[in-house]
Each structure stands twice: as C-alpha cells, then as structure tokens.
C-alpha cells in the first residue's frame, strides 16, 4: 500500500506535468500522439493530464492539437520582468541596438544551453531565428562562449556533452575548437562567432559579471556577417554595455576602481590598441 501511495504523490504528478510541458520546447502545436512519443507516458495518462492542464490554462487545445496556454505566457512574462538582471539590462540593450543597428541579445547559461532573456532588433529581428525563452547549444554561440570562458571545467564539459542531445541545432563543436575560442575570449574580453550558429549571420558577445569571477550572463550583437565589423570597433560598445548592466543590477551601491587593462593583441589585423582604463566594479554591502 505504501508503494502505491508513493506513486501518486504530488511530486510524481508534478514530474509528469513538467514532462508534458517540456515536450513543447519549440514553436508549433503537438498532437496527443506526438506528445506521447516525446514523453513516453501512457496515452491515457497523458490525455487526462493534458485536459487538466487545458482547464488550468497552462495549455490550449485547438481541435486535436495542443499548444502552450496564456497562463504560461503570463507567468513567463512576469518572471522575466521581475528578474533583476533583465530590469537592469533593458535600457542598455535598447541603446546598444540604437548605436549599432544590429540585433541585441541578453542570455544566460542553463545546463548545456543558453536561454535568451531578451531580444531587441527592430526590422532585422525577424531575420534572426532566435526568440525570448529560446535555447541554443552554448558551445556554438558567441553568448555561450562568453559565459563559458569564465566558467569552471564542469560547465564547459556539460556544454560539450549537451551537443549530442535531441535539441542540438547547428554543427557540433569539438573540444579543441571550443578551447581555442575560449582562450580568445579571455584574451580579448569578447566572443566572436561567424555563421556557426546561424548561417549568414555573425555575433559578438561580452560576459556580464564581476571581473575575475564566473560570468552570470552575456550580451551580444548579431547581424549579417558581411555587415558586421568583428573587431574592437564593435567590441567596445558591447563590452561597455555588459559593464553598465552589471553596475546597475539590483540598483545597488557600487564602488568603481579603475584598473589598467590592455588587450594582448587586436581582434583583427592592424596595430594593437592603446591601453585603456576599464572600471572594475566592486559591490558593497
């Protein structure tokens, strides 16, 4: 009797509900048969729980097809807008788009993937197949590499291993290639990606976080590869945006201490840039 009771505990029900909702990772509607194949749940159990989720407005049913419901959209929007990082970033993301004219992303690392918290892009945004809440393998994206370059070995290994999952989009990145790219990120302070994640597009990203500590997020600009100047001229506003976002997280008090930093080498050919004093942000209690 105890074993049967445990099988119907709230945690088991929540696990199944989570499995059903995870099946909708991507655009479009799903039929009951597709959901059963993706989740492995018995057809009768899946149908019963799906109908309950429809009643709760977590899902929406159109004929025989199911899709994410309005309640999930409402909660997702609240989660994003209540996020301290996102609140701090919003004005700077719009300013970076205004200055560069390219699509701007704010992303965080979640397991082997990056998840986009915001996207600002005007008319060009429709040409870039990313969306708020969408995922991409971290190892193949500029935003992912910007974060991984300042992460521990466990997270780097997880990003590499996660490429073999069903959600992988784009070519699989080798360990040697990723290590080389992360070394460049640490040297230049930005990550550059040319048509690896999105054919025809390039991206340049900078990590967001305390200097010398793991990055908490990344900001990027993305646009047609033939229009992007993937050098210090584009790196400067992206790095400045990342720094400003971090300074304004929590609206907390910050103490700015200038530290002399110099790029070991330019991103592209040409003379090395002069040393600049980049502010180092220190949080105060």
């Amino acid at each position: 009797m105890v074993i049967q009771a445990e099988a119907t505990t709230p945690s088991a029900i929540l696990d199944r509900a989570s499995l059903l909702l995870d099946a909708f990772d991507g655009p479009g509607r799903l039929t009951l048969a597709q959901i059963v194949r993706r989740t492995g749940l018995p057809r009768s159990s899946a149908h019963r729980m799906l109908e309950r989720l429809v009643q709760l407005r977590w899902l929406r049913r159109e004929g025989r097809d199911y899709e994410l419901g309005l309640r999930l959209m409402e909660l997702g929007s609240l989660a994003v807008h209540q996020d301290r990082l996102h609140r701090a970033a919003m004005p700077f993301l719009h300013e970076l788009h205004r200055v560069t004219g390219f699509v701007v992303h704010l992303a965080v690392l979640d397991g082997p993937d990056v998840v986009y918290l915001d996207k600002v892009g005007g008319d060009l945004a429709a040409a870039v197949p990313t969306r708020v809440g969408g995922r991409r393998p971290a190892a193949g994206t500029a935003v992912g590499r910007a974060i991984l370059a300042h992460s521990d070995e466990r997270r780097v290994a997880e990003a590499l291993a996660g490429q073999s999952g069903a959600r992988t989009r784009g070519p699989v990145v080798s360990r040697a290639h990723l290590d080389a790219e992360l070394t460049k990120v640490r040297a230049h302070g930005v990550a550059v990606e040319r048509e690896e994640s999105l054919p025809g597009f390039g991206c340049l990203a900078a990590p967001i976080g305390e200097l010398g500590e793991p990055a908490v997020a990344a900001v990027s600009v993305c646009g047609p590869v033939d229009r992007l100047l993937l050098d210090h001229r584009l790196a400067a506003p992206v790095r400045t945006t990342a720094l400003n976002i971090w300074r304004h997280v929590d609206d907390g008090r910050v103490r700015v201490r200038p530290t002399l930093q110099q790029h070991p080498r330019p991103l592209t050919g040409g003379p090395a840039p002069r040393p600049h004093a980049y502010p180092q942000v220190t949080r105060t209690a």
Side-chain angles (χ1 to χ4, degrees):
M1 293 297 295
V2 174
I3 295 177
Q4 292 177 352
E6 288 180 349
T8 58
T9 56
S11 61
I13 295 173
L14 288 175
D15 288 341
R16 290 192 171 198
S18 176
L19 192 61
L20 287 171
L21 294 175
D22 284 344
F24 293 87
D25 183 19
R29 300 171 178 175
L30 296 176
T31 64
L32 175 59
Q34 290 173 317
I35 295 170
V36 168
R37 283 197 300 269
R38 292 189 180 191
T39 62
L41 292 174
R43 186 182 182 90
S44 59
S45 297
H47 182 262
R48 184 170 59 253
M49 293 196 69
L50 285 169
E51 289 301 311
R52 181 55 181 158
L53 289 171
V54 169
Q55 294 173 5
L56 295 171
R57 296 194 302 129
W58 289 67
L59 294 178
R60 179 182 175 188
R61 179 164 54 80
E62 194 73 31
R64 295 184 177 182
D65 298 335
Y66 295 88
E67 61 184 351
L68 296 179
L70 289 177
R71 185 56 182 156
L72 278 180
M73 297 178 189
E74 293 167 358
L75 293 175
S77 177
L78 285 173
V80 169
H81 288 287
Q82 288 175 0
D83 182 78
R84 295 170 297 177
L85 174 67
H86 183 258
R87 284 204 309 269
M90 284 180 65
F92 299 108
L93 300 179
H94 285 273
E95 177 63 13
L96 183 60
H97 167 62
R98 187 190 68 80
V99 169
T100 65
F102 297 120
V103 176
V104 176
H105 293 109
L106 175 69
V108 294
L109 189 66
D110 183 38
D113 302 326
V114 288
V115 178
Y116 295 102
L117 299 184
D118 207 346
K119 176 182 180 180
V120 181
D123 295 337
L124 185 59
V128 180
T130 56
R131 60 180 176 84
V132 175
R135 290 174 174 266
R136 285 192 177 271
T141 62
V143 283
R145 292 169 183 173
I147 301 172
L148 290 172
H150 303 280
S151 300
D152 58 27
E153 170 59 25
R154 179 188 61 82
R155 301 187 83 182
V156 175
E158 185 178 18
L160 283 165
Q163 297 180 100
S164 59
R167 297 175 181 175
T168 299
R169 291 169 290 275
V172 174
V173 178
S174 69
R175 179 65 197 241
H177 179 62
L178 181 60
D179 283 344
E181 292 300 316
L182 298 187
T183 298
K184 293 178 184 177
V185 177
R186 299 182 191 105
H188 302 307
V190 293
V192 174
E193 178 255 307
R194 296 175 177 85
E195 297 189 277
E196 291 181 62
S197 176
L198 302 172
F201 288 87
C203 294
L204 186 147
I208 299 171
E210 196 75 34
L211 292 175
E213 296 185 8
V216 300
V219 59
S220 73
V221 290
C222 182
V225 71
D226 58 349
R227 288 171 48 192
L228 279 176
L229 297 174
L230 295 172
D231 59 19
H232 62 275
R233 289 168 289 183
L234 188 58
V238 177
R239 294 185 68 188
T240 299
T241 298
L243 177 61
N244 284 333
I245 291 171
W246 185 243
R247 289 180 61 186
H248 288 78
V249 172
D250 290 336
D251 296 323
R253 293 171 294 165
V254 296
R255 181 170 66 251
V256 179
R257 180 172 74 248
T259 56
L260 190 65
Q261 296 186 354
Q262 181 178 8
H263 296 306
R265 57 184 182 278
L267 293 174
T268 59
R274 296 180 180 179
H276 293 284
Y278 293 104
Q280 178 174 337
V281 180
T282 304
R283 294 195 170 283
T284 58

